[in-house]
Amino acid sequence: VQPELAGDFGVLMEWADGVRRLKVRANAETPLDCQTARDFGAEGVGLCRTEHMFFDADRITAVRQMILAQDETGRRAALEKLLPAQRSDFTAIFEVMAGLPVTVRLLDPPLHEFLPHEENEFAEVAAAAGVAIDELKRRATELHEFNPMLGHRGCRLGVTYPEIYETQARAIFEAALDVAEKSGKAPIPEVMIPLVATKRELDLMKAVVDKAAQVVFAERGKTIDYLVGTMIELPRAALKAGEIAETGEFFSFGTNDLTQTTLGVSRDDAARFLGAYVEQGIYAKDPFVSLDIEGVGELVQMAADRGRATRPDIKLGICGEHGGDPASIAFCEKVGLDYVSASPYRVPIARLAAAQAALK
Ligand code: PEP
Ligand code: MG
């Protein structure tokens, strides 16, 4: 029993842990989140989003320089500046997680969120990159997207600018080796590729990650184990999961995007009409909170079946918001996922719901 959960509640959690089959991980992206998650009993990080690492006040200028660079050389110059900070972020996370699994998702931003808007922001990038402000503004206009959530995000970013994923992978492996050396406990990073729709995308991105691993291992004269897998968050990925599992060593269901793309409902704008939809009985509950089991759930079941048919020991988890919702957790138990991943404060609820699901 964690000391933070002592008393009757701690006893209840202990009973739940004795019964449940599903592992419970947390969605955590800072060492503090990770510590909170561990205090609540998380058995790993199921989703470490890396976008926040790029929004940090003292990094954003270099990030903008990278996004607005005209070519690979320009992007690499900016990425080099960002490498030490990323390495220390991952080191701190691996230290807190002390050998528990950590799934790190490579960058998945709508690109426009990184673009400068204010004059002074453009001026900062111009000074850092040695490029004229007008040139940067022209480039920013070129990067405008009408529908960023369906645009240049996820692995599409990695396919067009592989050096971004290469640098992230490098930071992950360098940090993992540092922590292994210091603590004697080697982290097992699970490198996760977002928004994959085809096996070829995953093949390309896995090659980038594997190459970065080989380079770092050769430099250090040491190796560690790691996995490369994918999010299943697009209907096409669910349909083609059998093929994708030839490359992917694990799947994590990104049910936020899978709900958005299966229902064709924007996750950012749904609030305007979803109330009426629930009132009219079109959806029993808000499908972004509680999994649409009949629809989206069928895709999850299908992908799990097809993935396991190809790779019987494939590791399966869920990291969308639904991973902390008891009704959705009951469904995950039925599908036979290995773990659910929820926000740190929902970890105790997930432990309890996993136990109830197992008993049922
Ligand atoms: C998801 O899509 O379910 C997911 C976990 O990723 P994000 O919310 O970061 O898009
Ligand atoms: Mg997503």
Side-chain angles (χ1 to χ4, degrees):
V1 179
Q2 292 73 40
E4 292 75 5
L5 298 181
D8 291 348
F9 191 61
V11 173
L12 188 63
M13 286 291 109
E14 205 177 357
W15 288 347
D17 291 347
V19 169
R20 70 186 159 90
R21 183 196 61 81
L22 277 166
K23 294 261 183 205
V24 177
R25 297 196 194 179
N27 295 353
E29 54 192 33
T30 65
L32 187 64
D33 286 350
C34 291
Q35 190 56 57
T36 307
R38 286 205 64 188
D39 292 344
F40 282 124
E43 296 160 300
V45 169
L47 174 63
C48 173
R49 293 181 172 99
T50 53
E51 292 75 45
H52 81 280
M53 296 180 185
F54 291 82
F55 280 115
D56 216 90
D58 52 359
R59 302 181 200 174
I60 188 70
T61 301
V63 171
R64 288 176 172 146
Q65 181 187 342
M66 166 185 86
I67 296 294
L68 293 173
Q70 205 52 262
D71 55 22
E72 187 186 329
T73 312
R75 275 188 297 279
R76 282 196 183 275
L79 282 163
E80 205 51 46
K81 295 184 199 170
L82 292 162
L83 180 63
Q86 289 183 73
R87 190 193 303 122
S88 71
D89 284 344
F90 291 127
T91 301
I93 288 169
F94 290 144
E95 276 174 352
V96 174
M97 295 313 290
L100 293 171
V102 177
T103 309
V104 180
R105 187 193 55 198
L106 301 188
L107 194 64
D108 176 19
L111 265 194
H112 70 107
E113 287 185 12
F114 287 126
L115 292 178
H117 298 287
E118 309 295 332
E119 197 63 27
N120 67 313
E121 294 171 346
F122 276 107
E124 280 165 12
V125 181
V131 175
I133 291 186
D134 285 350
E135 175 58 23
L136 292 173
K137 285 186 176 167
R138 189 190 60 74
R139 180 90 177 115
T141 311
E142 266 174 22
L143 290 177
H144 170 79
E145 292 180 295
F146 286 101
N147 201 344
M149 285 303 271
L150 295 178
H152 197 183
R153 58 174 283 225
C155 65
R156 297 160 196 171
L157 194 66
V159 169
T160 45
Y161 306 147
E163 54 279 4
I164 298 179
Y165 279 10
E166 180 193 314
T167 309
Q168 286 195 289
R170 190 180 176 87
I172 292 166
F173 294 124
E174 288 181 354
L177 283 172
D178 285 346
V179 173
E181 217 166 76
K182 217 165 97 186
S183 69
K185 231 182 203 169
I188 304 183
E190 299 175 354
V191 181
M192 181 152 77
I193 313 297
L195 219 74
V196 161
T198 78
K199 175 179 182 291
R200 177 80 179 140
E201 285 172 319
L202 186 58
D203 286 345
L204 289 168
M205 296 301 94
K206 184 172 186 305
V208 169
V209 174
D210 287 342
K211 188 165 163 230
Q214 290 319 312
V215 169
V216 174
F217 296 166
E219 281 170 6
R220 299 288 188 97
K222 287 204 178 78
T223 66
I224 45 147
D225 292 330
Y226 65 95
L227 300 176
V228 180
T230 181
M231 301 202 57
I232 299 287
E233 53 184 343
L234 294 174
R236 192 187 195 284
L239 290 164
K240 302 304 285 180
E243 217 173 272
I244 292 172
E246 288 168 16
T247 307
E249 296 170 300
F250 64 87
F251 286 169
S252 181
F253 290 97
T255 45
N256 304 331
D257 273 306
L258 192 59
T259 298
Q260 166 166 264
T261 49
T262 303
L263 305 183
V265 171
S266 159
R267 57 195 267 197
D268 302 315
D269 303 309
R272 293 199 196 160
F273 59 88
L274 269 187
Y277 263 55
V278 173
E279 228 168 77
Q280 297 293 331
I282 298 169
Y283 296 125
K285 295 180 196 160
D286 180 339
F288 287 100
V289 174
S290 195
L291 196 70
D292 162 41
I293 287 170
E294 310 251 300
V296 178
E298 195 167 325
L299 284 171
V300 171
Q301 179 75 62
M302 177 197 296
D305 292 344
R306 292 181 181 187
R308 281 188 292 232
T310 300
R311 189 188 286 266
D313 63 345
I314 191 164
K315 204 188 265 194
L316 299 174
I318 179 173
C319 62
E321 286 305 308
H322 308 86
D325 167 64
S328 312
I329 291 169
F331 174 76
C332 295
E333 169 70 22
K334 248 176 65 193
V335 177
L337 299 190
D338 296 296
Y339 67 86
V340 298
S341 189
S343 78
Y345 289 98
R346 291 196 78 83
V347 165
I349 289 172
R351 287 162 72 189
L352 200 55
Q356 286 167 337
L359 287 174
K360 225 159 135 188

